[in-house]
């Protein structure tokens, strides 16, 4: 059985490619999912992708990940990075290791973006590498995380 990776994207990431391309680039969310799927597959892992603009749906998907036997999560929580204790608590409740990803360098942006409710619980945080950061995160999960039993 291969390692199972869940890719979660939060609010407004469905607009990748059209929303502020000078900040987020031209790649679409579909492009990101395709690249991450290929990266996972080439490492012998499987990847499932999920995107929602709704905090509760993201919390529910994290809970479901435990029931599904997901081994690792890559998440770009979008704006919920800076506001969601609920998503933080969901990760603490399921005890699945995760990597936090941001397309832009959040530390070079507005001050409110400098705080993350997830970073101190994440295995790693990638920020400012564009959409390539997703692939690096998936590669790390696929090659470094262990199959959960």
């Amino acid at each position: 059985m291969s390692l199972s990776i869940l890719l979660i994207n939060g609010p407004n990431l469905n607009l990748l490619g059209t929303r502020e391309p000078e900040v987020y680039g031209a790649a679409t969310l579909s492009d990101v999912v395709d690249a991450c799927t290929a990266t996972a597959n080439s490492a012998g892992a499987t990847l499932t992708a999920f995107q929602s603009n709704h905090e509760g749906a993201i919390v529910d998907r994290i809970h479901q990940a435990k029931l599904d036997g997901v081994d690792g999560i890559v998440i770009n929580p979008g704006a919920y990075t800076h506001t969601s204790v609920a998503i933080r608590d969901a990760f603490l409740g399921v005890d699945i290791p995760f990597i936090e990803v941001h397309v832009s360098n959040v530390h070079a942006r507005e001050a409110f973006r400098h705080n993350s409710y997830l970073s101190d619980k994440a295995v790693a945080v990638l920020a400012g590498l564009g959409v390539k950061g997703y692939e690096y995160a998936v590669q790390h999960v696929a090659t470094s995380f262990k199959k959960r039993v």
Side-chain angles (χ1 to χ4, degrees):
M1 220 157 99
S2 64
L3 193 95
S4 172
I5 303 169
L6 174 61
L7 172 63
I8 299 175
N9 278 282
N12 300 309
L13 289 159
N14 55 305
L15 300 177
L16 278 176
T18 60
R19 175 187 173 213
E20 297 177 273
E22 69 282 359
V23 175
Y24 299 106
T28 66
L29 184 56
S30 180
D31 295 335
V32 169
V33 171
D34 289 347
C36 289
T37 299
T39 299
N41 291 344
S42 70
T46 60
L47 183 128
T48 303
F50 176 80
Q51 187 278 327
S52 181
N53 294 316
H54 305 280
E55 183 179 30
I58 295 169
V59 169
D60 288 344
R61 188 61 187 94
I62 293 167
H63 292 175
Q64 186 62 44
K66 182 169 181 101
L67 299 174
D68 293 346
V70 168
D71 300 300
I73 296 173
V74 173
I75 184 169
N76 183 339
Y80 291 136
T81 303
H82 323 291
T83 63
S84 184
V85 174
I87 291 173
R88 176 190 175 90
D89 287 350
F91 276 116
L92 294 174
V94 299
D95 193 33
I96 298 172
F98 69 96
I99 295 178
E100 179 182 342
V101 174
H102 299 283
V103 176
S104 69
N105 179 357
V106 292
H107 302 290
R109 296 184 64 194
E110 303 92 340
F112 72 86
R113 295 186 195 276
H114 299 178
N115 180 54
S116 168
Y117 281 98
L118 304 178
S119 293
D120 67 317
K121 299 302 177 188
V123 170
V125 178
L126 296 171
L129 299 176
V131 296
K132 198 74 175 163
Y134 284 100
E135 293 174 62
Y136 298 142
V138 168
Q139 180 69 35
H140 185 74
V141 172
T143 59
S144 301
F145 284 25
K146 295 188 177 6
K147 182 87 182 124
R148 296 171 67 86
V149 282

